[in-house]
Amino acid sequence: ESYKVNDYSVRGEGDPHKLIAGMYFWTWRTEEVLDMVKWMRKFNQPQKSIEFTGFDMQFYEGAVDELIDAFKGNAEAQDKISALNEMLGKIRASSRNNRGLIAVGKEEMEEVKSLLSFLKRSVETSFQTQDKEWLLQNITIIEQYLGKNSFLWRDKCMADNLLWIKNNNPESKFIIWAHNAHIQKTNEMMGDHLSQKLGDDYKTFGFAFFNGSYTAAGNKGLTAYNAIQAYPGTLEYLLEQINEPIFILDLKKIKSDNPKDCEWLNSQLEFRGVGSMGGLPYEFWDLNVSDNFDYLIFIRTSSPSKLFD
């Protein structure tokens, strides 16, 4: 679904509103993301320089659609894909009240595995290298979706998918956009896996703010929520004392140049962790910020993103 945004950003085809909305999550369906995609379209003329893609695995529909398109005219494969799609729908329905985690019975899983094995063999024997790699990765997305029995599984899969994209675009550089918690370099999050694989080639920019508001889903629905103003004891409160509305803190340089003077920065500090859930009674958690981020972007006052229909 995310790759399809390139229909517009690279080739100027399609409606960017619909393409962005097709990525399911409301967090993307904002005026700010739309402005970015439109900017990418301008930047890509006359020559493509930037591609838009995704790396999450919480939906299987796009992967199934790719298989359907690829096997047009192959009646046996189409029957298998149809059976697979029906089973996936039942699994999703039964897991709907399980906080997004997937629960699959043993017999169901065996049947799904059999269908996926057939499709893998069919891809291997029916397609050339580039198409083959793409379709096998879409099957992997389905397998990842079915394996989501913990929140850490999602982060491992997202890291694996990013590495797959990188390996298929070895000359490219990447900007990865995700919540602070996902990009952090510890606690088995996505960034932990990427840091282990990529070493110093993986650089993290965390975001922090002192006060303001943000868009989220919560007890008032999907709307703007007032943030808890950073209080004494939080890192954001200390950063506010610098009295600059926006700045980037170079944590790597601080650690290397002034290790003794900044020992406090290497300890557990209260740090804002709020994300897509709004109206929570707490927004700060203990985190060793310097272990997890190379740079920290501080914005004094946050304003909410603007959703589009």
Side-chain angles (χ1 to χ4, degrees):
E1 291 87 347
S2 298
Y3 268 100
K4 289 185 181 299
V5 174
N6 280 330
D7 291 347
Y8 174 79
S9 63
V10 172
R11 294 181 291 279
E13 300 169 358
D15 181 346
H17 292 80
K18 292 181 179 178
L19 291 166
I20 292 170
M23 295 191 294
Y24 306 109
F25 289 108
W26 63 263
T27 45
W28 292 103
R29 202 180 70 249
T30 68
E31 295 290 344
E32 292 81 5
V33 173
L34 180 62
D35 287 345
M36 181 184 70
V37 170
K38 288 180 176 178
W39 173 85
M40 289 174 65
R41 173 61 191 149
K42 290 180 181 178
F43 194 86
N44 278 330
Q45 297 179 77
Q47 183 175 335
K48 179 184 77 173
S49 299
I50 309 174
E51 291 197 54
F52 187 106
T53 185
F55 47 88
D56 210 343
M57 38 58 75
Q58 297 192 84
F59 296 88
Y60 62 83
E61 290 87 342
V64 170
D65 288 344
E66 290 296 310
L67 293 169
I68 291 171
D69 288 344
F71 282 103
K72 281 180 179 174
N74 184 328
E76 184 180 12
Q78 290 286 348
D79 286 344
K80 298 287 188 183
I81 297 168
S82 179
L84 173 65
N85 196 31
E86 185 177 346
M87 289 203 67
L88 290 170
K90 291 178 180 177
I91 290 168
R92 179 180 60 185
S94 65
S95 303
R96 202 159 268 159
N97 296 322
N98 198 28
R99 298 180 66 203
L101 302 180
I102 305 302
V104 187
K106 186 176 179 181
E107 291 184 8
E108 285 178 308
M109 184 58 82
E110 289 302 318
E111 190 172 346
V112 169
K113 283 182 178 179
S114 176
L115 291 168
L116 290 173
S117 294
F118 171 86
L119 292 171
K120 281 182 184 178
R121 291 193 299 271
S122 299
V123 168
E124 292 281 2
T125 57
S126 304
F127 295 91
Q128 299 300 314
T129 303
Q130 190 171 358
D131 290 335
K132 182 189 299 184
E133 290 297 319
W134 172 250
L135 292 171
L136 289 175
Q137 177 63 11
N138 276 276
I139 291 173
T140 295
I141 294 293
I142 297 171
E143 292 174 331
Q144 290 174 344
Y145 170 82
L146 290 166
K148 191 187 171 192
N149 56 13
S150 76
F151 294 106
L152 290 177
W153 172 251
R154 178 190 173 200
D155 276 82
K156 181 185 183 305
C157 292
M158 290 195 295
D160 289 343
N161 293 339
L162 277 164
L163 292 170
W164 181 87
I165 296 167
K166 179 183 180 298
N167 290 338
N168 280 274
N169 299 273
E171 302 303 316
S172 296
K173 294 181 179 180
F174 296 82
I175 297 174
I176 302 162
W177 189 3
H179 188 277
N180 281 349
H182 291 305
I183 68 167
Q184 70 180 50
K185 294 184 177 183
T186 62
N187 298 328
E188 298 182 66
M189 303 304 285
M190 175 183 72
D192 190 351
H193 298 286
L194 292 175
S195 182
Q196 290 181 42
K197 292 286 186 181
L198 302 177
D200 288 340
D201 285 341
Y202 179 64
K203 301 286 195 300
T204 51
F205 286 76
F207 279 83
F209 67 95
F210 177 69
N211 60 13
S213 54
Y214 58 96
T215 301
N219 53 15
K220 297 189 298 183
L222 179 56
T223 186
Y225 289 82
N226 291 324
I228 297 172
Q229 181 168 297
Y231 47 82
T234 65
L235 177 59
E236 287 87 343
Y237 181 86
L238 290 171
L239 297 178
E240 166 63 9
Q241 309 312 303
I242 296 172
N243 198 28
E244 288 287 344
I246 300 176
F247 61 87
I248 300 177
L249 191 65
D250 189 339
L251 294 169
K252 287 187 68 173
K253 186 172 178 60
I254 291 170
K255 285 175 70 175
S256 62
D257 291 358
N258 304 289
K260 290 185 179 180
D261 294 337
C262 296
E263 288 182 355
W264 64 271
L265 198 55
N266 295 319
S267 60
Q268 295 280 328
L269 298 166
E270 284 193 74
F271 183 67
R272 196 186 303 273
V274 70
S276 61
M277 297 300 295
L280 299 175
Y282 50 87
E283 293 182 11
F284 296 86
W285 290 267
D286 287 341
L287 186 71
N288 188 319
V289 175
S290 64
D291 277 354
N292 285 286
F293 306 114
D294 298 301
Y295 305 90
L296 200 60
I297 299 174
F298 178 80
I299 300 170
R300 176 183 288 156
T301 301
S302 170
S303 59
S305 56
K306 300 172 184 174
L307 298 167
F308 66 75
D309 294 328

